């Protein structure tokens, strides 16, 4: 070794580092082994919980997919349920053949055709009417000399409608078991008539006279029959792992749909022995398994999953392999790192690393204290000067950006559409001209209230309650103008009252709905929602107007667009992002002929007055 030193073959402390690593190699291996064993023991326990949680999350996703399709059918039924003209035509009794044909051709058939074809599933619409002057219209779904399942396969793309008289079903058990009508709420999912043999399920809902919703008179019954394999398409046991089984169970405990991993095409209930209703006991797998459930209260169903414990054990085995691999990798890394990070260089490099890490975490005050006149001294001096320069530069840039952000926010807030004031004053002039003093006084009071809430002493952030009140004041003005054609519903979570929000982010969307989503001829319904979602507040402005095209929505949300279309929406989107960051803002969902939903997401931040009145909350 001395000869090597004299020749300059070994320099510094590299040979010493190797010797130290050889001495401590055993300790490193022991340390890594013990750490791996402890980590595996802890992970094995947590993995069981984690796997169960993952499976539960998958169940929630499957539940939401099924609920989405079933809710889509409810929405379609509402187009008939809420159609006053359609219900009025169903009530008209006449023996005039010509009038009956015109009623069928111009009103009933177009409505039923539109409802049956407005969803991308094989839908059969059955309507049972009390008015026997309306002719019956129906289709035959079971051709002669053909297997039932083959017949149902042939009509997989058919979407049909049928009209029957009520006397066909008044004594049927499924009709007698319908609950008492609650306006807009009562509906039931069941397998009725030929649904079981045709592998279908029906959503049943009454048609009532809208002239007296509190004492609703039954005009008829709607039955929307859909194929089970389409409605429950997302109920796929393969998503849960090998050997898993999934079921949809109704309120009586009867299994209406089943899927297992081995038969991923889903077990049809119609293939079972129908003499007794199938239950979970008919599908119970062998061996030990984990049972998880998700309730679907709107449909009165329960999603049940049987997952063999072998799935969880396989996850544990994979994690064990992963930990062993990590331990082996760590052992090699520690060995080679110890060789190259030893001696003279390791001590000094550690200092530089600690300072650089401090700079990376934002601590620019940390400095290196180093004595000497070698290269490390020059690096330490340069690093200290760099920290000072960075700190000064960051402060300068931060102040500049802050001033720019405040100026942009103030500019955007001043860009309120003046046409509202002009239109309201024009309406006031018309009311005064025709002597409608009561409405005139009410509109002036609401206009004053609106601008009192809008100006708000020049404050940018206001309580959520004030923002909702300001939107309500605007709608009160519009209700005076449009009367019963404008319907408004507020769905406000009381938990949001303690938070603050940017002002004037609801009213422009309500105004936009009245201006663009409504033709002005028929009624429009606007629903305003405010609720907590985690650490955020989510506003929603929903209308059942004409809807928007995809290209129109893209143009509205395009921040670089110079078009006046959607200027107010882009204004609000920019204001929210300037105030809270790019992860917040406005999103639009729309469907032509159905309506539009505008979502505005902001962080949930408590108001100052609330924190002062509740110091314990603010301290947390």
């Amino acid at each position: 070794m001395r000869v090597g030193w004299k020749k300059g073959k070994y320099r510094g402390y590299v040979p010493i580092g190797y010797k130290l690593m050889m001495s401590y190699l055993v300790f490193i291996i022991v340390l890594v082994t013990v750490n791996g064993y402890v980590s595996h023991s802890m992970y094995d326990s947590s993995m069981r919980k984690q796997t169960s949680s993952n499976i539960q999350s998958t169940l929630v996703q499957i539940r939401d997919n099924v609920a989405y399709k079933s809710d889509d059918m409810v929405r379609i039924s509402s187009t008939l349920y809420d159609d006053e003209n359609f219900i009025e035509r169903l009530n008209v009794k006449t023996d005039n053949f010509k009038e009956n044909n015109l009623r069928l051709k111009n009103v009933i058939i177009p409505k039923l055709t539109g409802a049956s074809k407005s969803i991308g599933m094989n839908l059969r619409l059955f309507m049972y009417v009390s008015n026997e002057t309306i002719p019956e219209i129906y289709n035959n779904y079971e051709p002669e000399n053909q297997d039932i399942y083959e017949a149902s396969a042939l009509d997989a793309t058919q979407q049909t409608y049928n009209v029957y008289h009520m006397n066909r079903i008044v004594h049927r058990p499924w009709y007698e078991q319908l609950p008492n009508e609650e306006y807009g709420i009562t509906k039931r999912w069941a397998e009725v008539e030929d649904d079981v043999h045709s592998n279908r399920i029906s959503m049943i809902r009454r048609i009532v006279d809208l002239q007296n919703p509190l004492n609703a008179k039954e005009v008829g019954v709607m039955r929307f029959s859909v194929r089970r394999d389409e409605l429950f398409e997302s109920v796929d046991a393969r998503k849960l792992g090998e050997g898993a089984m999934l079921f949809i169970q109704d309120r009586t405990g009867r299994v209406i749909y089943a899927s297992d991993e081995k038969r991923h095409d889903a077990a049809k209930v119609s293939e079972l022995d129908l003499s007794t209703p199938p239950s979970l006991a008919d599908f119970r797998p062998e061996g030990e398994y984990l049972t998880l459930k998700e309730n679907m209260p709107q449909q009165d169903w329960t999603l049940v999953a049987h997952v063999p414990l072998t799935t969880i054990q396989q996850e544990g085995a994979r994690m064990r392999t992963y930990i062993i691999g990590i331990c082996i990798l760590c052992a090699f890394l520690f060995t080679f790192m110890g060789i190259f990070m030893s001696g003279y260089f390791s001590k000094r490099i550690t200092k530089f690393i600690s300072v650089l890490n401090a700079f990376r975490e934002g601590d620019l005050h940390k400095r290196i204290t180093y004595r000497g006149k070698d290269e490390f001294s020059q690096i330490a001096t340069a690093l200290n000067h760099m920290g000072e320069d960075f700190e000064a530069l960051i402060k300068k840039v931060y102040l500049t950006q802050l001033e720019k952000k405040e100026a942009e926010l103030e500019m955007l807030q001043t860009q309120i559409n003046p046409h509202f004031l002009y239109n309201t004053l024009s309406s006031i002039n018309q009311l005064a001209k025709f002597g409608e003093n009561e409405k005139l006084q009410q509109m002036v009071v609401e206009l004053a209230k609106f601008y009192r809430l809008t100006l708000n002493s020049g404050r940018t952030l206001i309580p959520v309650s004030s923002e909702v009140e300001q939107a309500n004041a605007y709608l009160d003005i519009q209700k005076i103008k449009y009367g019963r054609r404008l319907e408004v519903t507020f769905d406000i979570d009381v938990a949001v009252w303690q938070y603050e929000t940017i002002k004037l982010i609801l009213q422009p969307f309500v105004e936009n709905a009245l201006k663009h989503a409504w033709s002005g001829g028929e009624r429009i319904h606007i629903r305003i929602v405010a609720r907590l979602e985690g650490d955020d507040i989510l506003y929603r402005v929903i209308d059942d107007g004409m809807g928007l095209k995809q290209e129109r929505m893209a143009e509205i949300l395009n921040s670089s667009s110079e078009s006046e279309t959607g200027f107010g929406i882009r204004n609000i989107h920019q204001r929210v992002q300037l105030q809270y960051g790019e992860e917040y803002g406005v999103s639009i969902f729309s469907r032509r002929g159905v309506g539009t939903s505008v979502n505005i997401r902001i962080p949930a931040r408590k108001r100052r007055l609330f924190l002062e009145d509740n110091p314990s909350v603010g301290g947390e």
Side-chain angles (χ1 to χ4, degrees):
M1 294 297 293
R2 292 180 181 177
V3 174
W5 279 18
K6 289 180 181 179
K7 294 182 178 180
K9 187 176 180 180
Y10 299 102
R11 297 181 179 180
Y13 296 91
V14 174
I16 299 176
Y18 274 109
K19 292 178 180 178
L20 289 175
M21 286 305 303
M22 292 298 294
S23 303
Y24 291 106
L25 183 59
V26 175
F27 297 100
I28 293 173
I29 294 175
V30 170
L31 179 62
V32 172
T33 303
V34 172
N35 182 64
Y37 176 80
V38 173
S39 299
H40 173 264
S41 300
M42 296 175 63
Y43 231 103
D44 187 66
S45 176
S46 64
M47 271 302 300
R48 292 178 177 269
K49 298 179 180 179
Q50 184 65 34
T51 304
S52 299
S53 176
N54 292 340
I55 294 173
Q56 194 75 42
S57 298
T58 304
L59 283 183
V60 170
Q61 184 179 8
I62 294 173
R63 179 203 65 188
D64 291 344
N65 290 338
V66 174
Y68 176 81
K69 288 192 174 182
S70 62
D71 289 346
D72 212 17
M73 294 185 63
V74 172
R75 179 189 59 77
I76 294 171
S77 70
S78 296
T79 62
L80 301 178
Y81 187 89
D82 296 328
D83 193 327
E84 297 182 5
N85 179 54
F86 176 68
I87 295 173
E88 180 181 353
R89 301 304 298 167
L90 290 180
N91 278 326
V92 175
K93 293 185 178 181
T94 176
D95 294 327
N96 188 301
F97 179 78
K98 183 177 181 181
E99 291 184 9
N100 272 328
N101 281 342
L102 288 175
R103 174 169 52 178
L104 281 173
K105 180 179 179 181
N106 298 333
V107 179
I108 297 178
I109 291 179
K111 293 289 184 181
L112 297 183
T113 302
S116 65
K117 294 183 180 300
S118 61
I119 185 172
M121 291 192 291
N122 171 224
L123 183 66
R124 296 177 182 173
L125 170 56
F126 300 86
M127 188 176 71
Y128 304 89
V129 294
S130 301
N131 186 356
E132 295 188 358
T133 65
I134 298 176
E136 289 188 334
I137 305 172
Y138 50 86
N139 296 274
N140 183 16
Y141 299 107
E142 297 182 3
E144 296 181 359
N145 302 323
Q146 190 169 9
D147 184 81
I148 279 179
Y149 302 116
E150 293 180 0
S152 63
L154 286 174
D155 73 336
T157 59
Q158 295 180 6
Q159 294 163 307
T160 59
Y161 60 88
N162 306 264
V163 180
Y164 297 97
H165 292 154
M166 286 288 294
N167 56 20
R168 290 178 176 267
I169 63 169
V170 290
H171 298 300
R172 299 291 176 90
W174 63 266
Y175 173 75
E176 295 176 347
Q177 293 172 4
L178 282 176
N180 295 329
E181 180 69 17
E182 292 185 55
Y183 182 74
I185 298 177
T186 303
K187 58 186 73 72
R188 182 186 175 196
W189 288 87
E191 297 166 291
V192 300
E193 302 298 331
D194 63 340
D195 280 349
V196 173
H197 297 285
S198 300
N199 190 33
R200 307 179 77 87
I201 191 167
S202 294
M203 193 275 289
I204 306 167
R205 191 174 186 181
R206 289 188 179 93
I207 308 175
V208 297
D209 193 341
L210 300 178
Q211 294 181 356
N212 188 8
L214 297 179
N215 187 19
K217 175 186 176 183
E218 184 179 82
V219 176
V221 173
M222 297 179 288
R223 178 165 74 89
F224 293 81
S225 178
V226 66
R227 292 176 60 87
R228 269 194 295 258
D229 53 2
E230 287 187 291
L231 182 61
F232 303 125
E233 182 181 6
S234 60
V235 182
D236 190 346
R238 290 176 296 176
K239 299 176 181 179
L240 304 182
E242 184 178 355
M245 302 183 73
L246 265 175
F247 317 97
I248 298 288
Q249 189 178 25
D250 65 13
R251 66 183 186 282
T252 65
R254 184 177 184 272
V255 174
I256 60 176
Y257 194 80
S259 171
D260 62 70
E261 188 270 335
K262 294 181 180 178
R263 292 191 301 163
H264 55 265
D265 55 341
K268 298 180 178 62
V269 177
S270 56
E271 296 174 357
L272 303 174
D273 181 9
L274 297 175
S275 59
T276 58
S279 63
L280 288 180
D282 300 314
F283 299 93
R284 190 163 293 167
E286 298 179 356
E288 296 182 341
Y289 57 89
L290 176 68
T291 300
L292 300 173
K293 297 182 178 181
E294 277 293 332
N295 293 322
M296 304 175 66
Q298 295 293 333
Q299 295 77 23
D300 213 3
W301 295 335
T302 303
L303 178 63
V304 183
H306 288 329
V307 182
L309 290 179
T310 54
T311 302
I312 301 177
Q313 293 169 353
Q314 290 172 357
E315 290 293 331
R318 281 194 287 267
M319 184 54 63
R320 181 167 56 250
T321 303
Y322 174 78
I323 291 178
I324 292 175
I326 290 296
C327 290
I328 295 174
L329 180 62
C330 288
F332 281 101
L333 288 177
F334 288 154
T335 301
F336 289 100
M337 286 176 62
I339 294 173
F340 296 103
M341 296 292 294
S342 61
Y344 177 85
F345 296 100
S346 64
K347 295 179 182 178
R348 288 150 181 81
I349 292 175
T350 300
K351 291 183 179 180
F352 295 118
I353 291 175
S354 65
V355 173
L356 290 173
N357 286 335
F359 287 176
R360 183 180 59 185
E361 295 171 1
D363 182 10
L364 299 175
H365 299 285
K366 193 167 185 179
R367 299 290 181 265
I368 297 177
T369 303
Y370 186 85
R371 295 180 180 179
K373 296 182 180 181
D374 53 11
E375 291 80 3
F376 288 106
S377 176
Q378 298 178 27
I379 296 174
T381 302
L383 199 58
N384 289 337
H385 288 312
M386 183 179 66
E388 295 172 359
D389 295 338
F390 280 177
E391 185 176 8
L393 182 60
I394 288 174
K395 287 182 179 179
K396 182 178 179 180
V397 172
Y398 174 78
L399 292 175
T400 303
Q401 291 296 326
L402 184 61
E403 292 173 358
K404 179 180 177 182
K405 176 180 176 182
E406 291 175 351
E408 290 177 349
L409 184 58
E410 183 177 355
M411 180 189 68
L412 289 173
Q413 288 175 343
T414 61
Q415 296 175 345
I416 302 173
N417 189 351
H419 296 295
F420 165 68
L421 178 59
Y422 172 80
N423 292 335
T424 305
L425 292 177
S426 178
S427 299
I428 291 174
N429 179 53
Q430 291 296 322
L431 293 175
K433 183 177 179 180
F434 292 101
E436 296 186 16
N437 295 329
E438 183 176 344
K439 289 185 177 180
L440 173 61
Q441 180 183 6
Q442 185 179 359
M443 184 171 284
V444 171
V445 170
E446 294 298 334
L447 180 62
K449 179 180 179 182
F450 173 82
Y451 272 96
R452 173 178 59 82
L453 295 169
T454 299
L455 298 175
N456 198 32
S457 301
R459 288 184 295 169
T460 300
L461 299 177
I462 62 174
V464 173
S465 58
S466 297
E467 178 64 15
V468 175
E469 186 180 3
Q470 190 267 353
N472 190 34
Y474 172 82
L475 285 166
D476 286 342
I477 295 173
Q478 300 305 321
K479 287 178 182 176
I480 298 172
K481 182 177 179 181
Y482 296 110
R484 294 184 179 180
R485 291 182 297 163
L486 174 59
E487 297 179 10
V488 181
T489 303
F490 282 86
D491 182 8
I492 310 299
D493 185 359
V494 295
V496 304
W497 293 137
Q498 58 181 306
Y499 298 100
E500 64 181 10
T501 180
I502 294 180
K503 68 179 181 181
L504 278 177
I505 59 177
L506 285 178
Q507 180 270 334
F509 289 107
V510 177
E511 181 180 358
N512 193 69
L514 295 176
K515 184 177 180 181
H516 299 291
W518 186 26
S519 63
E522 300 178 354
R523 68 172 186 85
I524 188 171
H525 180 265
I526 298 177
R527 181 180 174 208
I528 299 177
V529 181
R531 62 186 54 175
L532 282 178
E533 281 195 2
D535 295 330
D536 296 337
I537 295 176
L538 178 65
Y539 294 109
R540 299 184 69 192
V541 179
I542 307 168
D543 67 73
D544 58 355
M546 297 182 295
L548 297 173
K549 296 181 179 179
Q550 293 295 327
E551 52 269 27
R552 178 72 178 275
M553 287 192 292
E555 181 183 2
I556 288 174
L557 292 177
N558 185 3
S559 60
S560 61
S561 175
E562 297 181 358
S563 172
E564 292 184 0
T565 301
F567 175 80
I569 297 176
R570 291 195 297 272
N571 186 311
I572 296 173
H573 185 64
Q574 293 171 10
R575 286 172 54 202
V576 171
Q577 290 198 334
L578 279 173
Q579 184 70 33
Y580 300 115
E582 294 184 355
E583 62 269 32
Y584 301 99
V586 178
S587 57
I588 304 176
F589 305 89
S590 183
R591 183 179 293 179
R592 293 289 291 174
V594 177
T596 302
S597 174
V598 178
N599 294 353
I600 313 163
R601 185 177 296 276
I602 66 172
R605 295 180 180 174
K606 288 187 170 60
R607 295 153 38 199
R608 289 186 179 180
L609 290 178
F610 179 83
L611 294 177
E612 291 172 3
D613 294 337
N614 302 270
S616 61
V617 176
E620 295 176 357

